[in-house]
Amino acid sequence: MNMSRSEVKITVAKLLEVAYSKDKGLTTKIMAEKGRAKLVVDQTGKATLTGTLGSLSFSGAPVLNKIGVKIKRVTVNFENKGKMKVVYRATFNLEVISLTVMGDFNLEELIISCSGLLCQAARALKGRHKAYDMELQKIMGR
């Protein structure tokens, strides 16, 4: 029952992608607004992304099921520093331990990779997960 920092970063990016695909407009507004936003996912996979511009609920269960670790709670605090640079602090509460990872990413690069041609092409390939995960690692600051 071990999670690496890279897996945590990719999971955060994938949760944002799920939120983005759920309601592109609201997710982008919440994340692009200068200031703070928060993503919370409970053990059932219910996820809520909140910020000053609103709140969005969606299921993060498909993402959490793929990591193979039982999650009690995920909390990610974001702060948009301007010019699309977002810093984050992600805490994964597992069965016995907690894992916290901090980093930053360019929001525009993340949105483009998750919804653009690169992401679509990577998903169309049989080995899509590896290529997609590598792109997310690059964006999330490997």
Side-chain angles (χ1 to χ4, degrees):
M1 188 164 301
N2 196 3
M3 267 183 90
S4 71
R5 292 189 176 280
S6 291
E7 287 174 313
V8 170
K9 290 178 181 183
I10 290 170
T11 301
V12 169
K14 287 181 179 180
L15 286 168
L16 285 177
E17 180 193 5
V18 171
Y20 180 79
S21 66
K22 170 80 175 161
D23 183 346
K24 295 177 186 179
L26 182 56
T27 301
T28 303
K29 286 178 185 175
I30 289 171
M31 294 302 298
E33 176 72 13
K34 194 167 181 182
R36 299 181 189 276
K38 186 173 192 172
L39 174 65
V40 177
V41 187
D42 67 16
Q43 62 190 12
T44 67
K46 181 182 177 204
T48 306
L49 176 66
T50 57
T52 56
L53 293 177
S55 178
L56 173 68
S57 292
F58 60 96
S59 175
V63 173
L64 297 182
N65 290 340
K66 287 182 183 176
I67 61 175
V69 176
K70 188 170 180 182
I71 301 285
K72 287 187 177 181
R73 184 177 179 90
V74 177
T75 306
V76 187
N77 291 299
F78 300 97
E79 186 174 356
N80 190 329
K81 298 287 192 175
K83 298 185 181 179
M84 299 302 248
K85 180 180 179 181
V86 176
V87 297
Y88 66 92
R89 179 183 178 106
T91 302
F92 282 65
N93 296 315
L94 310 175
E95 286 182 331
V96 181
I97 63 167
S98 290
L99 177 64
T100 299
V101 174
M102 296 173 280
D104 62 71
F105 60 90
N106 181 292
L107 181 61
E108 185 175 19
E109 285 181 24
L110 182 64
I111 291 170
I112 289 169
S113 82
C114 290
S115 62
L117 293 176
L118 173 65
C119 196
Q120 292 173 15
R123 288 182 186 157
L125 299 173
K126 186 174 183 180
R128 68 183 172 89
H129 297 295
K130 184 176 180 181
Y132 177 56
D133 287 353
M134 287 173 57
E135 181 65 19
L136 288 178
Q137 281 182 4
K138 179 182 155 203
I139 292 166
M140 297 297 284
R142 198 186 316 178

